[in-house]
Amino acid sequence: MSDAQDHKQKMQQVQAQHRKKVSEAVDPGRGLVLINTGKGKGKSSAAFGVVIRALGWGQKVAVVQFIKGKWKTGERRFFEERDLVTWHTMGEGFTWDTQDRDRDIAAATAAFDKARDLMASGDYDLVVLDEINIALRYEYLSVDAVIEGLKSRSDRTSVFLTGRDAPQALREYADLVTEMTEEKHPFQAGIKAQRGVDF
Amino acid sequence: MSDAQDHKQKMQQVQAQHRKKVSEAVDPGRGLVLINTGKGKGKSSAAFGVVIRALGWGQKVAVVQFIKGKWKTGERRFFEERDLVTWHTMGEGFTWDTQDRDRDIAAATAAFDKARDLMASGDYDLVVLDEINIALRYEYLSVDAVIEGLKSRSDRTSVFLTGRDAPQALREYADLVTEMTEEKHPFQAGIKAQRGVDF
């Protein structure tokens, strides 16, 4: 068999397998729970990429940021200027900037109250809880409360949770868990964070 | 020491370490080369999240899609409707749909010629080569040609390359490599791909 024929046969097999899997898959009739975790870059940016995808289909999106309050990021500038999504920021910045545990707990709790309302409202196709895993890791929020909030979401609503160290109970409840692993990072090579790339 | 004091001290240490690393980092004076690879979800969407970040700072962005030609994705709809980025699609769809190796090679080569022009032009802060690793994996492009193209990019331009199975030589040349690992995926549980989430 020629290389071209061999290639064609292989691709036909790949196509057939793919079609079979697609045809057997079912619609769950509810939004999904998705987690991006791990130490690697791309957890929040992948969630914002999915926001773009949802907006491209005319869907409604809300974002609650649990940690990056003070910092003005490119994504926040982009979405706020265009009024494309409902945006809510916890407003206290990175936890190592506040150094006040009680204030962090109060801020995280208030942000999650807001998140629960957004998820339950039925007004959104997608709600992003950005860096919520950090709030869980520092025990500013309990994982039980977060899972309760996810369970009371509207059937219409998918939820994307980001941040390193997602707790096990949350991983078990989720439909999708992606671990981002850092193989190589410019900051480790002494390269400064770049506007547009890193924030 | 009280819990609150203990927390404050820990956070001060984290803050000091973070500030030291930041103050020692240098600006490379050139755009970075970034790779998202691995089998997990989020490789392309993280690149599109970085596109949003760059646009939020008023930067100029181009995207060349090497594989998902025929498919109308939410991100493509979003960016094309708003004319926010220079968008170029290889136009042949997934390789298992064409089943013609010569046509795939010609299409990939033409797309990379376009990509090389965009990278060298000096007109862009960020160029995304979406799914180019797939074209490398099927040997539609040579890794040497791709690295040559990256080397001839403008100093102004960062390049984001996505797709599973990034070749080793490309990983070595890049500033950042993130591996996306699938811990749990709804498609494996028989759940259909969801508009807005998966495409």
Side-chain angles (χ1 to χ4, degrees):
Chain A
M1 198 178 349
S2 75
D3 275 2
Q5 281 175 316
D6 186 47
H7 177 80
K8 186 166 180 175
Q9 200 173 61
K10 266 191 210 147
M11 290 301 114
Q12 281 174 338
Q13 281 168 5
V14 174
Q15 187 184 46
Q17 282 165 7
H18 185 73
R19 286 200 177 146
K20 182 165 184 291
K21 274 173 83 179
V22 168
S23 71
E24 285 169 356
V26 296
D27 199 309
R30 58 164 178 80
L32 303 179
V33 173
L34 317 153
I35 297 177
N36 282 350
T37 191
K39 292 203 166 87
K41 196 172 155 57
K43 299 180 288 292
S44 293
S45 45
F48 290 117
V50 171
V51 168
I52 290 303
R53 189 166 284 168
L55 293 174
W57 292 113
Q59 297 183 354
K60 286 202 67 187
V61 181
V63 176
V64 180
Q65 285 201 304
F66 281 82
I67 298 290
K68 288 174 181 162
K70 283 200 304 193
W71 237 32
K72 196 80 174 177
T73 57
E75 58 269 29
R76 189 171 163 195
R77 289 169 58 104
F78 181 89
F79 289 119
E80 280 188 343
E81 277 166 19
R82 287 167 182 80
D83 201 23
L84 287 167
V85 305
T86 302
W87 193 276
H88 191 84
T89 296
M90 196 170 110
E92 295 282 336
F94 279 101
T95 186
W96 55 73
D97 287 327
T98 65
Q99 300 164 10
D100 180 333
R101 187 170 164 78
D102 290 339
R103 208 169 71 177
D104 284 346
I105 289 173
T109 304
F112 191 69
D113 286 345
K114 179 72 184 172
R116 192 175 7 225
D117 289 348
L118 294 166
M119 293 190 287
S121 69
D123 292 336
Y124 297 95
D125 300 283
L126 176 66
V127 175
V128 176
L129 307 183
D130 188 38
E131 301 288 6
I132 192 172
N133 294 334
I134 307 291
L136 285 162
R137 171 188 171 201
Y138 284 115
E139 297 181 352
Y140 297 160
L141 295 174
S142 82
V143 66
D144 290 347
V146 170
I147 291 175
E148 270 316 303
L150 290 170
K151 285 185 176 165
S152 65
R153 77 189 185 278
S154 161
D155 279 346
R156 171 184 174 183
T157 306
S158 289
V159 183
F160 220 129
L161 304 97
T162 78
R164 53 175 73 183
D165 299 319
Q168 190 52 35
L170 196 59
R171 291 170 191 246
E172 282 164 20
Y173 180 68
D175 296 291
L176 176 135
V177 180
T178 304
E179 183 91 16
M180 271 74 170
T181 309
E182 183 176 292
E183 185 177 302
K184 192 174 184 184
H185 196 292
F187 195 54
Q188 304 311 324
I191 294 178
K192 214 170 175 173
Q194 302 289 302
R195 176 183 278 191
V197 170
D198 292 298
F199 58 90
Chain B
M1 201 177 349
S2 76
D3 275 2
Q5 280 174 315
D6 185 47
H7 177 80
K8 186 166 179 175
Q9 200 172 62
K10 265 190 211 148
M11 289 302 111
Q12 281 172 340
Q13 282 168 5
V14 174
Q15 187 185 45
Q17 282 165 8
H18 184 74
R19 287 200 177 147
K20 182 165 183 293
K21 274 172 84 176
V22 168
S23 71
E24 285 168 356
V26 296
D27 199 308
R30 57 164 178 82
L32 303 179
V33 173
L34 317 154
I35 297 177
N36 283 350
T37 191
K39 293 203 166 86
K41 194 173 155 59
K43 299 181 288 293
S44 293
S45 45
F48 290 116
V50 171
V51 168
I52 289 304
R53 190 167 284 167
L55 293 174
W57 293 112
Q59 298 183 354
K60 286 201 67 187
V61 181
V63 175
V64 181
Q65 285 200 304
F66 280 82
I67 298 290
K68 288 174 182 165
K70 282 200 306 193
W71 237 33
K72 196 78 177 177
T73 56
E75 58 270 30
R76 189 172 162 195
R77 288 169 59 105
F78 182 88
F79 289 118
E80 281 188 341
E81 278 167 19
R82 288 168 183 78
D83 201 22
L84 287 167
V85 305
T86 301
W87 192 277
H88 192 82
T89 297
M90 193 171 114
E92 294 283 335
F94 279 100
T95 186
W96 55 74
D97 287 328
T98 65
Q99 300 164 11
D100 180 334
R101 188 170 161 79
D102 290 338
R103 208 169 72 177
D104 284 345
I105 289 172
T109 304
F112 191 70
D113 286 345
K114 177 75 186 169
R116 193 177 6 227
D117 290 348
L118 293 166
M119 291 190 288
S121 69
D123 293 336
Y124 297 95
D125 301 283
L126 177 66
V127 175
V128 176
L129 307 183
D130 189 38
E131 301 287 7
I132 191 172
N133 294 333
I134 306 292
L136 285 162
R137 170 187 171 203
Y138 284 114
E139 297 180 354
Y140 298 161
L141 296 174
S142 82
V143 66
D144 290 347
V146 170
I147 291 174
E148 270 316 303
L150 290 170
K151 283 183 177 165
S152 65
R153 76 188 186 278
S154 161
D155 279 346
R156 170 184 174 183
T157 306
S158 290
V159 183
F160 220 129
L161 305 96
T162 76
R164 53 174 74 183
D165 299 319
Q168 189 54 33
L170 196 58
R171 292 171 191 245
E172 280 163 23
Y173 178 69
D175 296 292
L176 175 135
V177 181
T178 304
E179 182 91 18
M180 271 72 170
T181 309
E182 183 176 293
E183 183 176 304
K184 191 178 186 182
H185 196 292
F187 195 55
Q188 304 312 326
I191 294 177
K192 215 171 174 172
Q194 303 288 301
R195 176 182 279 191
V197 170
D198 292 298
F199 59 90

